[in-house]
Amino acid sequence: MSRPSKSDAQERILKLRALINDYRYEYHVKNNSIMSEAAADGLKHELTQLEELFPELITPDSPTQRVAGEALPQFVSVEHTSRMLSLNDVFNEAEIKAWEQRITKLLPADTKLHYFVDLKMDGFACALVYQDGKLVRGVTRGDGFVGEDVTMNVRTLDSIPLSLKHDGDPKFLSGRTEIRGEIVMYKKDFEALNKARAKAGEPLFKNPRNTAAGTVRQLDPKLVAERKLHFHAYDLQRDNAKDIPTYEFAYKTMNDLGFITNPKATTLKSTDEVIKYSESWEEKRHDLPYGTDGLVVKVNDRAVYGQLGVVGKAPRGAVAVKYAAEEATTVVKDIIISVGRTGAATPVALLHPVDVAGSTVQHASLHNQDEIERKDIRVGDTVIIFKAGDIIPQVKQVLTELRDGSEKKFDMEKELKKHPLEFVRDEGEAAWRAKDRGSPIILKRAVQHYASKGALDIEGLGEKNVELLVDAGLVKDLADIYALTKDQVLALDRFAEISATKLIEAIAEKKNPPLPRFLNGLGIRHVGIQTAIDISEQFHSMENLAKASYEDLAEVEGIGEIVAHSILEWFADESNKELMEKFAKLGVEPKIARKIEGPLTGLSFVITGSLPGIGREEAAEAIRQRGGTFQSSVGQGTTYLVHGENVGDSKRAKAEKLGVKLLPAEEFMKMLD
């Protein structure tokens, strides 16, 4: 991050602290999320970086200096014998290496560091105290110094032994032994619980972590016993620190004493191995029974770990390596207008670059003027962004608490007047559209769409080459691409003998495209790929579709009044009739469409989240090739909601309300096989 002035940093720090404290109070004390954990991590990371730049601005009450949360008054407060610390986050290879360099400087030159690595579970921290091998107390993390006595509740968990196993090391069966770990709710149990609540008409829980936390804090142990919770141990403590030489030893001992520990946890010899281990789990973690957003990395030698000490709320000898967030916070640098293939003007936010779901995001669609006004998005705002369907970046929320008065409102109409095209907004429409649909700008977008993967998938007809062809006057409509010659293309910059030949051949290969792809490529308003498939299966050819009446179109499932009128208007336009005649003269004949019968016939699918080894478009095509139907949103006719790591609350609620089955990604892949 660029270095701000001290006064700007101080103002930003105060606002960040206030917002983070609000989030942490709601999350840890009230069991209520006002934003995702990924978004909060982004704010905390920014605060940490600012305080590192200006350490004189660090105060004892900063969120970076303590673990948030207060003991609830309904429980007896218990002071921890040693503080329950949290960890500083690192997000990439450079930050992992920087952490190693910092701690290495504090140790003797001949110190050889090994690292103990475990998956970071999305759970609720708890400490269990055993006296002479018997469970005597369960205490929540609380504020790190003082927690809540939840002994009666944790006793109901089958994964917590009431007595330590006798085949463990005898010395741990005498005196005081403390086990620290995470109480988690597995994803399948969370889904089952929400399904039962939906059936009973009760509000759905937001996520497994909050549900586990809320359950442990219930005053009635019977309710706790009814819900399936699991305790996973991650730390062992004794009065004599020499009893536990390494974290590797601690895990083996805890397992011997009767606790669940992660069998995949391991000791590694270098941060290079840590990085490889992290990369190996980035995709596999989605198959774990519990949620995880990263790794915990600790100096394995407990004596060295202790020697490194603590800074603020976190030990120097450990970090949390976080995976790419599904959500993140960033700043809106500007808002611009993008004109699409149908002439629609879409406002787009230009963002400070930020990593989201494994890629760098620098812009996000703001959809239309109404959406900007509804969310009150301004230039200069700090916003939470997410990837809709893991593909399209969008603004989820504006963090108005961080405004300093310099933010500027966006005037859509004023910006449109600066554009070379003239725009109008029809009554009842959300979008502004260009009056002149035949302008070069719109033609370029239309050709790009026609050649895109979702339509005809013509290799070599990307944005730059399309602009070149249109600007040269060689392409004046969609059909003109089929009239191109190699000599014409060779005369243009960017093209040589091989690239020109390949482009002409790629275009020629798509003279007999599948009817749904051709229909989608024409860019008829409201006609996407699935609607194009439904229409194609009903009418089989462009000739039949051109003759269809409103009543004929209305018979197609999923086509309403708006789509039907849009199709009728397109075929009534004289320029479109001429376009179809030109396609025919150039030898373009879409293949007659017949409904595919296969193993997925009669089944319809909606996909949310990323799938292992396959993109969304590829998965949609695989469904169609097996006779199934791919849908963009959950509806009455949806059979399955296929999900990757998790399902959004709204989609889950709608699916359960309509009786749509949740299908894990791995089961879906088996169906395709």
Side-chain angles (χ1 to χ4, degrees), residues 94 155 195-196 288 294 313 316 319 372 374 415 439 650:
R155 285 176 64 90
K195 190 171 184 179
L288 292 167
K313 68 181 179 65
R316 286 195 181 94
V319 287
I372 293 176
R374 184 179 69 83
E415 290 300 315
S439 75
S650 60

Side-chain angles (χ1 to χ4, degrees), residues 153-178:
N153 288 349
V154 299
R155 285 176 64 90
T156 67
L157 275 61
D158 290 335
S159 55
I160 294 178
L162 300 180
S163 299
L164 298 178
K165 288 178 65 177
H166 288 284
D167 53 355
D169 189 325
K171 68 170 169 285
F172 293 101
L173 303 180
S174 62
R176 187 182 186 280
T177 300
E178 183 172 336

Side-chain angles (χ1 to χ4, degrees), residues 10 14 19 34 36 83 166 178 247 268 290 450 513 524 548:
Q10 186 169 24
L14 291 174
L19 184 55
I34 59 175
S36 71
R83 187 179 176 189
H166 288 284
E178 183 172 336
Y247 278 101
L268 302 174
Y290 46 80
Y450 184 83
I524 302 172

Side-chain angles (χ1 to χ4, degrees), residues 382-570:
T382 300
V383 296
I384 298 174
I385 62 168
F386 71 106
K387 282 191 175 181
D390 296 327
I391 298 173
I392 306 167
Q394 296 184 26
V395 172
K396 178 178 181 180
Q397 180 183 344
V398 176
L399 299 176
T400 55
E401 302 92 332
L402 296 180
R403 284 179 176 165
D404 59 13
S406 65
E407 296 78 15
K408 298 177 182 177
K409 287 193 173 185
F410 179 73
D411 189 328
M412 183 83 174
E413 294 184 51
K414 183 179 178 182
E415 290 300 315
L416 288 174
K417 287 177 182 177
K418 299 177 183 177
H419 204 279
L421 295 174
E422 186 179 353
F423 295 87
V424 293
R425 182 177 182 179
D426 295 333
E427 187 176 349
E429 286 276 331
W432 288 82
R433 295 184 185 277
K435 272 187 176 181
D436 180 12
R437 305 292 168 84
S439 75
I441 294 174
I442 297 174
L443 174 59
K444 290 173 184 178
R445 301 294 184 272
V447 177
Q448 289 167 24
H449 172 70
Y450 184 83
S452 67
K453 287 186 178 294
L456 273 74
D457 192 14
I458 302 175
E459 189 174 350
L461 263 188
E463 180 181 350
K464 295 295 184 184
N465 286 345
V466 169
E467 288 184 354
L468 201 62
L469 293 167
V470 173
D471 290 341
L474 296 176
V475 173
K476 295 182 176 66
D477 59 36
L478 294 179
D480 274 344
I481 65 171
Y482 294 101
L484 290 170
T485 66
K486 187 171 78 170
D487 289 340
Q488 287 176 322
V489 175
L490 267 174
L492 302 173
D493 292 338
R494 293 171 56 87
F495 283 98
E497 180 75 23
I498 294 176
S499 57
T501 300
K502 283 185 176 181
L503 177 59
I504 297 301
E505 290 176 349
I507 293 171
E509 287 174 3
K510 299 303 169 73
K511 278 194 171 184
N512 300 112
L515 181 57
R517 285 182 171 270
F518 180 75
L519 190 55
N520 180 34
L522 292 177
I524 302 172
R525 282 185 66 193
H526 307 301
V527 177
I529 184 60
Q530 188 57 51
T531 302
I533 290 170
D534 295 338
I535 292 170
S536 300
E537 291 175 351
Q538 179 78 6
F539 297 101
H540 307 300
S541 69
M542 287 298 292
E543 290 76 15
N544 292 340
L545 179 59
K547 299 172 187 175
S549 66
Y550 174 81
E551 289 74 21
D552 294 331
L553 290 166
E555 289 181 7
V556 181
E557 185 177 352
I559 291 185
E561 180 180 353
I562 293 175
V563 179
H565 280 302
S566 180
I567 295 170
L568 290 172
E569 288 170 5
W570 194 91

